[in-house]
Structure formats: C-alpha cells, structure tokens
C-alpha cells in the first residue's frame, strides 16, 4: 500500500471529536471572554481612567500619556486573572502576516523570587529588533530600530493555548524615522483622510451632529479544507499552498451540489469550533456555509469598523490555521489551490458611516437623504474610475494571477455594478441639470431635480469586481489570502480624494443649492460613467468593450504593479497624508520582490516533485510496461506513449530550470518579474501538462501524489 492509500484508509476510520463544551457555555457566555472589552475595562480601571480611555477609543480625544501606567496595571491584572504570563505587541509588517514576540511579566527580585511587572511603557511602546522584516529600502539592515505603538482603537485580547496565555496588544509599527513599516498605519491614516473629507460633504448637506465618519467592512472569507494526512504528502501544498500538479477529478463542481449543501460532520465540527474560538476573541463570526467548489467553504463576520475588522480578519485566518490540524485538516487559503475549479476570494463589503450611526451608502427615505446618498455614490464612481489602476494593483499578488479573470472571479478590469435601477437613476442625473425645471433654492423644490430612488435598487452580479449591494459596496476582487489592510487603504484613499474634490466644489455653492449640486454631479457622471458596467464581466465581449472604453486591463501582477508608482499615485497618497512617496515606493518594491520569490519557490518545488517523485514512478511503471509490451499490441502502444511522455517530462524539467536561470539574469527586479511571467510560468505550465497526463496513465499504486479526487472528496 502506498502512503496515499494508507491515508485514505485512516480517513475512512476518522471519528469527529467534540472540542467545545457548548452545553455548559452558550455562545453569549463566551463572547468576548478573551477581550479587554468595555466591561473588563470598567471592572479593572478606576472610573476617571476608564472614562478617559473610552473617549480615546471612541475617537474623541487623543491618547493621554498620564493614564498609561494606570491602564497598564489594569490590563495586567485582567490578563493575569485569566492565566497570562506573557505579553506581546502584535503587528502586521509588510510581509502581510502578523508578527509577535513574547515577553514574560516575570522579573527576578534578587532573592530567588519574582514579581510580575507590566509598565505603561510596556503597553504603549515596543521595540522589536526588526531588521529582518522587509522595509522596501526604508531602512538598511544596520538601522534596525523600529517601534510598535499601541493602537487603542483595536481591542487588546488574549491568545489562549493549551499550555498558557499571552496578552496580545494590537500595535502599529513605525521606523526610527517615523515612517510606516506596516499595513496598519496607512490604513488608519486613510481612514482619517476619508473621514475628514466625508464630513466636509456632510456639512454641506446640513449635518451638524456627526463628528466622525469612518468605514465599515465585512469580509467574507473563502477557504478550502483538505485532509491533512493526504495534503502533507504533497510538497506543493505544504510549501506553496496550492497544487502545482494534478489531473482533474472525474467529478468536480459541475453538478453544483456543493454550494450551500449540507455540511459534512467533520467540517461542521471545525466550523463550530472556529465560531466559538472567534467569539471568545471578540470576532463576530456570523455566517458559515459550503462554497461552490468541492472542499471549499466560507465564513463571514458581522461588519465592523475597518481597522478592527481588518485585525479581526487576521485573527480569523490565524484561528483557522490553528484549529485545522486539530481536526486533522489542512487549511488552504491560497487564491487558487486547485486548477479547474473555483478559487477563493475575500469579498469585502464596505460602507461609510457616521459616528451617530448613519450609513452614508443607504439610499434613505426622503429626497434630502437621497441627494446626499447620490453625492457619495457618484464620488465613489469617480474614485473607482480615476484610480482603477491603483485599486487593481492593491489586490495584485501571484496567487491572484491564477484567479482573476478565470471564469469564476471578477476580471482584472475594474468596473462598478450598480444594478439596473440605480444605473438608470445615474443616467438621469447625467441629463439631470438640463432637464430639471425648477424655481428657487429651497430644499424641497431643489431636490426634485434629482430622480426618485427605487427601493431595493440592486440585483446581484457576481461577475463584477466592485458591486453595489443595497447599502454597501462589495469589493469582490480581493484575494482570499490577502491581508485586507492594503486594499482598504487604497479604497479609502481614492474615495477620500474624490470626496475632497466634491467638497471643494460644494464649498463654492450656497447650502441648499440643489440645482448647483445636480450640475456638479452630472458633470462627474459624464466624465466617469465608462466605469459602470451591468453585464457579464466574465465575457469576452466585456474585454473588448472595456478596451473600447479605455478602461485599464492589467491581467497579471506584473502588469498591475506599475500603477503604484505613477506620479498620479504618488500624488494622491501623499496629498491625502496616507503614504509619503518613499513609503509608497517601499510597498511597491516589496510586492515586486515577493512576486519573484513566489515564482521562484513554485518553480523549484515543481522541479523537485517532478524529478524526485514523478519521474521515479514513471520509470518503475515504464519498466513494467516494457516487460509486458511484447505480449500485447495495446500494451505496446501504451508503453510507447508513456516512454514519449517520459522524454517530455525530462525535457520539460530542463526547460523550466533553464527558464529560472534566464529570469535570474534579468537586469532589474521588474525585468525579472516580467521573465517569471513570460518564461518561468509558461515552462511550469508545460511541465504540468506532461505530469498531469502521466497521472492518468501510471499505475494508481505507484502514483506518489494524492490526487484531486482524493483531496477534494475524501475528508
Ligand atoms: P451577502 O448576501 O452578499 O452575503 P450579507 O448581508 O450576508 O450579504 O453581508 C455580507 C457581509 O457584508 C457581512 O459580513 C455583513 O456583515 C457585511 N455588511 C452588511 N452591511 C454592511 C455595511 N453597511 N457595511 C459593511 N459591511 C456590511
Ligand atoms: Mg456577498
């Protein structure tokens, strides 16, 4: 028996274990159990300290350094009451994964005893020796100094493991020179930029009560689960998160029997465990279901403020990663783990809201509210049209190149779906100012120049990368493995840019001059309507049409990344105070570098598997065929075919190796990345064709890699 077959027998005997005491503790009992939430703050902090901290968390006051020692003491008492011995500053360096270094509270007192210490300074500032994080040239290795700073807006939580508890403080990460070295700081800056500009627009509409505008996100997270005993026999899954080889399973997703199907016991056990662990750390996990592809699933939380929601999405991923092995499963978060079936995205639902709870993307019930809604909507249309290239770049990644534009995910062309009714409203506004006949500037009359909004104005369109869904946008093009901070930062920034210009124009209008407003909005629609598309984004016709409209179409990461460093991009990020030119360039450089490294790792892994696993199996099988071929004309034919494929296999491995060398010799990072696209990836694809064909011919007993039909259906 091969290791594959042994694993399959073991899977058949797998019994689902209970990991949660759900009868003892209902969901409401455990929700936020490991979070230093408002209730815990009230309990562990003196009242004036508590009240001051709350005002900072709610965005009304800057952080007061006078209270940090008192807050730190309360945090420590709370954490130790839950068994914590260590604390860590948790941050998101530009690797895109979270980072943490743990320090214990214990300090020796010199008499063989220890005391627990955690000062205000420990809470608010850390200094990881972080020379090994990518800085995109912001810092040389010898300039290692970087600081983590407590992000008060994101709740402190506990990481609870079987052998101990770690107090975890979400932080932002800056260099000695004050430049952002992480994904958090730009997100917070973009949030502020958007908030400032949105408030200006709101004031024109007579809103005097809102003091803050922020964005909310609800990221729907798609993922695959495969049995760990099978997956670990595949070096490609272990190292690259996707299958570099694999003939299609005879049955894939064509019967459409997986989507929303009843959830297998073993998967549901994982999901239930996941939900409860997420609730404990305050992540509002809400929805769980089977996705389209076999072995594919989704979870969605209730939406939250963007910075918290982004941190929480990292917690969703890390919790999934931690729990999957406990259920004998391997989590695949790659955008395209399997060829030929759907890949995974992170549909990112996004809206803007005021601190008094008004969703600015909610059409509203009266004409006045509608005018305001349309102003925000049209500003977003302009943002996406003018900065489609930057938005596309914000979701670019090697994994995405396998997903975007395949017939399952939005194309690499950015467009907006509004739904036919709302699109019609926008079309009326385009004509609006001219056709409206009205007198005077009073609100009621003025607003009649704007069309009436239909209720429930949108259908759904899953082929659109950026779709309006009733009271929010769904940025569907984000990849499943992406840290969500960066696409959010870009989206907030480009919308802030458009809102700032709208606010500039409104500043010149009298309050309540809705005729003037309509003229402004109409001009914006005229100049930007090419980004609106209601049809099938998967179709060839759309690609042609988009080209005619002059919309950017950047199919690969290498096509997309240059948009980050154009004068236009540098201008918008620096003007709005989100990223300096150096900070922006650093991020682009890191992405280029990462793209090359991923290509390199995948090619090396493919060569390794082909040469040391596939080729030996082919040789063994060929020997057997040759021994039998004189006995049968049919066997002889198969023997010749396998022998031919064996030659092709050896050649294809050499070609891929050669392509790798060619790429290395490129004169610049950009040229090397381009060579990955033009040389390495095609050579690897050609190797795959040979290996996949051999998989269908070689004796199943000899085949070393667990097959698609096993990975996708046996768990
Ligand atoms: P769908 O039918 O597309 O799955 P849902 O209503 O289930 O839509 O929402 C999907 C995600 O969108 C959830 O995470 C939800 O919390 C989030 N969401 C709902 N309303 C908003 C909003 N106003 N802003 C941001 N996200 C939202
Ligand atoms: Mg959705």
């Amino acid at each position: 028996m091969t290791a594959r077959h042994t694993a399959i027998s073991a899977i058949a005997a797998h019994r689902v274990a209970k990991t949660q005491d759900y009868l003892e503790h209902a969901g409401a009992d455990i929700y936020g159990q490991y979070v230093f939430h408002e209730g815990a703050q009230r309990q562990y902090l003196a009242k004036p300290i508590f009240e001051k901290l709350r005002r900072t968390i709610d965005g009304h006051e800057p952080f007061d350094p006078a209270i940090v020692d008192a807050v730190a003491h309360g945090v420590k008492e709370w954490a130790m009451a839950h068994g914590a011995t260590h604390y860590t500053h948790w941050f998101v360096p530009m690797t895109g994964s979270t980072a943490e270094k743990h320090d214990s509270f214990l300090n020796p007192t010199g008499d063989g005893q220890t005391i627990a210490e955690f000062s205000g300074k420990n809470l608010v500032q850390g200094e990881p020796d972080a020379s090994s994080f990518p800085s995109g040239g912001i810092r040389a290795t010898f300039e290692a100094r970087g600081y983590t700073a407590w992000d008060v807006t994101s709740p402190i939580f506990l990481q609870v493991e079987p052998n101990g508890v770690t107090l975890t403080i979400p932080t932002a990460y800056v260099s000695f020179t004050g430049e952002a070295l992480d994904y958090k700081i730009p997100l917070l800056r973009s949030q502020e930029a958007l908030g400032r500009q949105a408030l200006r627009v709101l004031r024109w509409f007579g809103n005097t009560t809102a003091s803050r505008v922020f964005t909310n996100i609800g990221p729907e997270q798609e993922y695959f689960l495969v049995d760990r005993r099978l997956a670990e026999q595949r070096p490609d899954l272990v190292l690259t998160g996707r299958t570099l080889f694999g003939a299609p399973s005879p049955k894939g997703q064509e019967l459409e029997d997986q989507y929303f199907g009843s959830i297998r016991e073993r998967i549901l056990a994982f999901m239930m465990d996941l939900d409860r662990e997420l609730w404990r750390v305050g992540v509002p996990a809400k929805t769980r279901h089977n996705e389209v592809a076999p072995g594919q699933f989704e979870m969605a939380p209730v939406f939250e403020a963007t910075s918290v929601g982004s941190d929480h999405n990292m917690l969703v991923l890390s919790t999934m990663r931690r729990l999957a092995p406990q259920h004998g499963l391997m989590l695949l978060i790659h955008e395209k783990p399997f060829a030929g079936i759907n890949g995974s995205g992170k549909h990112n639902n996004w809206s803007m809201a005021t601190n008094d709870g008004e969703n600015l993307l909610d059409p509203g019930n009266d004409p006045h509210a509608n005018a305001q809604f349309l102003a925000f909507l049209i500003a977003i249309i302009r943002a996406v049209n003018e900065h489609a290239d930057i938005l596309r770049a914000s979701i670019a990644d090697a994994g995405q190149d396998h997903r975007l534009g395949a017939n399952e995910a939005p194309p690499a062309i950015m467009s907006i779906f509004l739904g036919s009714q709302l699109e019609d409203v926008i079309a009326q506004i385009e004509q609006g100012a001219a056709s409206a006949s009205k007198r005077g500037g009073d609100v009621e009359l003025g607003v009649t120049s704007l069309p009436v909004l239909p209720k429930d104005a949108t259908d759904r369109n899953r082929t659109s990368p950026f779709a309006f869904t009733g009271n929010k946008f769904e940025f569907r093009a984000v990849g499943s493995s992406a840290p969500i901070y960066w696409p959010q930062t870009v989206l907030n920034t480009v919308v802030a840019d458009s809102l700032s210009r709208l606010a500039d124009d409104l500043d010149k209008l009298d309050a309540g001059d809705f005729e003037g407003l309509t003229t402004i909005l109409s001009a914006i629609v005229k100049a930007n309507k090419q980004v609106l598309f209601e049809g099938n984004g998967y179709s060839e016709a759309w690609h042609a049409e988009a080209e005619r409209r002059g919309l950017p179409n950047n199919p690969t990461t290498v096509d997309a990344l240059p948009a980050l460093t154009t004068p236009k991009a540098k201008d918008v990020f620096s003007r709005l105070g989100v990223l300096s030119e150096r900070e922006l360039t650093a991020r682009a450089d890191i992405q280029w570098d990462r793209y090359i490294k991923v290509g390199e790792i995948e090619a090396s892994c493919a060569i390794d598997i082909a040469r040391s696993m596939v080729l030996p199996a082919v040789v063994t099988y060929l020997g057997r065929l040759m021994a039998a071929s004189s006995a049968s004309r049919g066997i002889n034919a198969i023997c010749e075919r396998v022998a031919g494929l064996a030659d092709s296999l050896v050649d294809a491995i050499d070609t891929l190796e050669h392509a790798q060398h060619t790429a290395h010799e490129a004169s610049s990072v950009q040229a090397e990345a381009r060579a990955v696209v033009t040389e390495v990836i095609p050579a690897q694809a050609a190797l795959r064709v040979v290996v996949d064909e051999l998989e269908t011919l070689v004796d199943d007993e000899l085949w070393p890699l667990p097959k698609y039909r096993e990975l996708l259906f046996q768990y």
Side-chain angles (χ1 to χ4, degrees):
M1 268 221 301
T2 62
R4 265 174 58 224
H5 293 100
T6 309
I8 290 166
S9 306
I11 293 167
H14 185 94
R15 291 294 168 267
V16 172
K18 178 174 159 160
T19 50
Q20 294 280 345
D21 54 354
Y22 59 88
L23 286 178
E24 295 278 306
H25 299 287
D29 305 344
I30 60 172
Y31 193 86
Q33 184 182 3
Y34 301 154
V35 182
F36 193 57
H37 50 59
E38 193 170 339
Q41 291 162 11
R42 189 179 285 111
Q43 188 185 342
Y44 282 89
L45 301 175
K47 198 163 178 218
I49 307 285
F50 165 77
E51 283 170 354
K52 234 175 164 12
L53 180 65
R54 284 314 308 176
R55 283 199 295 277
T56 303
I57 292 172
D58 295 336
H60 299 305
E61 248 178 52
F63 190 72
D64 179 356
I67 67 167
V68 296
D69 283 317
V71 174
H73 180 75
V75 169
K76 183 192 74 178
E77 293 297 304
W78 167 77
M80 288 180 61
H82 286 81
T85 53
H86 288 67
Y87 69 94
T88 184
H89 278 202
W90 185 83
F91 59 106
V92 194
M94 292 188 281
T95 54
S97 319
T98 56
E100 52 191 88
K101 178 191 85 178
H102 300 190
D103 283 298
S104 87
F105 295 132
L106 297 187
N107 258 329
T109 50
D111 54 357
Q113 308 283 303
T114 59
I115 52 164
E117 279 184 357
F118 183 64
S119 68
K121 185 158 181 291
N122 294 152
L123 170 64
V124 296
Q125 184 177 326
E127 198 193 323
D129 170 14
S131 46
S132 298
F133 293 117
S135 75
I138 285 183
R139 236 181 11 186
T141 317
F142 57 90
E143 306 168 307
R145 217 178 270 273
Y147 298 104
T148 50
W150 179 27
D151 170 15
V152 285
T153 64
S154 186
I156 289 174
F157 62 98
L158 301 172
Q159 297 186 71
V160 178
E161 308 282 339
N163 291 326
V165 175
T166 309
L167 169 65
T168 307
I169 303 152
T171 58
Y173 180 42
V174 287
S175 79
F176 187 57
T177 52
E179 286 159 303
L181 290 174
D182 69 350
Y183 279 117
K184 182 55 121 15
I185 294 171
L187 179 65
L188 294 173
R189 289 179 186 157
S190 75
Q191 178 113 315
E192 275 189 27
L194 182 140
R196 239 184 343 261
Q197 302 307 331
L199 264 188
R200 290 177 64 203
V201 173
L202 278 182
R203 294 288 183 253
W204 189 86
F205 281 96
N207 181 323
T208 52
T209 53
S211 60
R212 270 182 350 118
V213 171
F214 52 92
T215 54
N216 284 316
I217 55 164
E220 302 167 46
Q221 179 68 53
E222 295 178 342
Y223 59 98
F224 279 82
L225 290 170
V226 290
D227 188 274
R228 193 181 168 191
R229 287 158 288 205
L230 287 170
E232 280 177 356
Q233 295 180 47
R234 297 207 46 143
D236 49 359
L237 281 183
V238 173
L239 296 180
T240 73
R242 75 180 183 103
T243 53
L244 302 178
F245 301 109
S249 167
K251 177 184 190 291
Q253 64 190 43
E254 55 280 89
L255 296 182
E256 300 174 328
D257 51 357
Q258 155 84 358
Y259 190 57
F260 284 9
S262 76
I263 305 168
R264 287 196 198 189
E265 186 186 33
R266 192 170 165 201
I267 300 300
L268 195 51
F270 166 84
M271 290 174 164
M272 289 169 160
D273 200 3
L274 175 69
D275 283 345
R276 291 173 62 90
E277 289 301 295
L278 289 175
W279 292 340
R280 287 192 156 98
V281 289
V283 177
K286 177 88 173 167
T287 306
R288 58 191 188 206
H289 61 82
N290 283 1
E291 254 303 323
V292 168
Q296 190 187 28
F297 312 96
E298 178 179 304
M299 81 75 64
V302 177
F303 66 92
E304 298 179 283
T306 300
S307 66
V308 177
S310 301
D311 281 355
H312 279 170
N313 184 249
M314 296 310 265
L315 276 181
V316 168
L317 295 180
S318 62
T319 308
M320 284 180 170
R321 218 168 268 128
R322 176 167 68 83
L323 296 180
Q326 295 178 19
H327 292 261
L329 297 165
M330 184 187 278
L331 174 75
L332 303 179
I333 211 70
H334 192 280
E335 282 74 17
K336 192 74 179 178
F338 299 97
I341 57 171
N342 276 18
S344 298
K346 177 146 37 200
H347 301 164
N348 192 12
N349 297 272
W350 173 92
S351 64
M352 298 184 261
T354 66
N355 60 316
D356 36 43
E358 180 184 1
N359 177 356
L360 301 178
L361 296 185
D362 205 333
N365 296 323
D366 61 87
H368 186 267
N370 286 342
Q372 181 186 303
F373 161 76
L374 288 169
F376 280 100
L377 182 74
I378 290 169
I380 293 171
I381 292 172
R382 170 166 66 186
V384 175
N385 182 48
E386 290 187 351
H387 299 299
D389 57 338
I390 315 182
L391 282 167
R392 165 65 182 97
S394 78
I395 51 152
D397 177 52
Q400 285 273 78
D401 287 3
H402 300 285
R403 168 178 173 261
L404 290 180
N407 249 5
E408 47 161 297
I413 307 162
M414 286 296 137
S415 66
I416 298 180
F417 171 84
L418 291 178
S420 52
Q421 292 167 298
L422 206 50
E423 207 204 20
D424 181 54
V425 170
I426 297 292
Q428 289 177 51
I429 291 177
E430 191 190 346
Q431 314 303 325
S435 67
S437 58
K438 56 183 194 52
R439 299 155 292 130
D442 90 274
V443 172
E444 214 45 54
L445 277 176
V447 176
T448 58
S449 71
L450 293 169
V452 178
L453 290 182
K455 282 242 170 280
D456 213 1
T458 56
D459 193 2
R460 290 184 176 266
N461 183 333
R462 53 195 298 265
T463 71
S464 176
F466 200 79
F468 188 71
T469 50
N471 61 2
K472 62 186 193 292
F473 274 98
E474 192 173 350
F475 190 9
R476 298 179 58 91
V478 182
S480 51
S481 71
I484 209 162
Y485 304 86
W486 181 231
Q488 281 311 316
T489 300
V490 172
L491 181 56
N492 287 348
T493 305
V494 299
V495 172
D497 177 39
S498 181
L499 287 174
S500 83
R501 284 149 57 203
L502 177 61
D504 289 348
D505 288 342
L506 294 178
D507 282 348
K508 294 173 209 138
L509 282 189
D510 292 334
D513 179 359
F514 283 86
E515 191 177 358
L517 172 70
T518 311
T519 308
I520 293 170
L521 297 183
S522 165
I524 300 177
V525 171
K526 276 200 180 73
N528 295 282
K529 63 179 177 183
Q530 60 270 30
V531 78
L532 301 176
F533 178 62
E534 298 293 304
N536 179 3
Y538 296 168
S539 69
E540 277 306 312
W542 169 231
H543 282 72
E545 166 72 9
E547 192 174 339
R548 202 183 53 70
R549 295 187 188 185
L551 300 179
N553 178 6
N554 295 317
T556 72
T557 300
V558 169
D559 302 306
L561 287 182
L564 288 180
T565 42
T566 58
K568 178 179 74 119
K570 288 173 181 169
D571 168 64
V572 68
F573 281 102
S574 63
R575 187 160 36 80
L576 288 151
V578 176
L579 290 169
S580 69
E581 193 173 323
R582 221 160 85 104
E583 289 172 320
L584 179 63
T585 311
R587 277 155 184 79
D589 286 352
I590 288 169
Q591 293 208 47
W592 283 108
D593 185 55
R594 185 183 156 80
Y595 182 79
I596 295 168
K597 285 174 177 159
V598 169
E600 172 72 18
I601 292 167
E602 291 197 349
S604 300
C605 187
I607 291 171
D608 192 12
I609 291 172
R611 206 174 255 157
S612 68
M613 297 176 79
V614 174
L615 189 59
V618 173
V619 169
T620 307
Y621 187 51
L622 195 56
R624 284 195 207 161
L625 287 173
M626 282 161 76
S629 62
S630 61
S632 146
R633 187 167 38 80
I635 301 296
N636 193 27
I638 293 174
C639 182
E640 275 172 22
R641 193 167 157 207
V642 173
L645 284 166
D647 287 341
S648 306
L649 178 64
V650 173
D651 291 346
I653 293 170
D654 290 346
T655 306
L656 178 53
E657 222 164 34
H658 184 73
Q660 267 190 313
H661 291 307
T662 310
H664 278 316
E665 279 156 21
S667 54
S668 68
V669 171
Q670 282 77 5
E672 186 172 350
R674 175 60 69 189
V676 169
V677 174
T678 57
E679 309 288 326
V680 178
I681 290 175
Q684 193 178 316
L687 171 61
R688 178 175 185 152
V689 170
V690 179
V691 171
D692 290 359
E693 190 176 346
L694 280 164
E695 184 186 317
T696 65
L697 294 170
V698 170
D699 182 355
D700 186 65
E701 285 287 336
L702 295 174
W703 196 254
L705 298 168
K707 298 183 173 182
Y708 271 26
R709 62 164 196 257
E710 297 158 352
L711 291 163
L712 295 173
F713 292 97
Q714 291 187 281
Y715 55 83

